[in-house]
Amino acid sequence: MITHTWKIHDLDATDGLITNVKYSVVAREIDTVVETEGYWKFGDPVLRKPFEQVTEEDVIAWVKSDSMQNSVNIIESRLEEQVVALEKQKVIPPWLPQVFTPNLG
């Protein structure tokens, strides 16, 4: 199962409304890790509670909601595609012990 860890690093606001945020996301499945960072510009500035009460979790939820397309979060989806691709390409480096693992499925 792929887990996602979000972090908000910075935000811009105009007239008390959040307009842009700088974020990073780490997608992890066991020992495969893919990360990205970027800027999200809200089409409509957001503020669903007084600015002083906004938490990082609130902003993450707003970015996640705003980045949904066809019921899929486009940021997390792209990271998951990369994790899956990396998992398919994994091989044991030649300097490590080579272990035979039967495919029982």
Side-chain angles (χ1 to χ4, degrees):
M1 178 177 162
I2 299 174
T3 60
H4 303 94
T5 305
W6 286 75
K7 179 80 179 149
I8 301 298
H9 299 282
D10 200 6
L11 58 84
D12 298 323
T14 302
D15 298 327
L17 298 176
I18 298 171
T19 56
N20 306 294
V21 297
K22 180 179 180 184
Y23 66 87
S24 63
V25 185
V26 176
R28 178 183 310 273
E29 182 174 47
I30 306 171
D31 62 345
T32 301
V33 177
V34 177
E35 41 191 313
T36 190
E37 66 177 36
Y39 291 89
W40 190 262
K41 179 174 175 53
F42 292 102
D44 292 316
V46 295
L47 192 64
R48 297 185 176 107
K49 60 174 30 175
F51 189 81
E52 308 78 39
Q53 296 176 12
V54 171
T55 66
E56 182 178 27
E57 290 76 22
D58 292 330
V59 178
I60 290 168
W62 298 336
V63 173
K64 283 182 171 184
S65 175
D66 206 50
S67 60
M68 294 292 283
Q69 289 182 356
N70 299 322
S71 301
V72 175
N73 182 284
I74 58 173
I75 298 168
E76 291 180 351
S77 175
R78 297 293 181 249
L79 289 171
E80 289 172 9
E81 289 171 3
Q82 293 175 43
V83 168
V84 169
L86 287 171
E87 282 292 319
K88 287 181 181 177
Q89 297 174 5
K90 277 197 171 183
V91 295
I92 299 172
W95 58 87
L96 293 178
Q98 304 298 305
V99 178
F100 172 74
T101 305
N103 183 355
L104 302 175

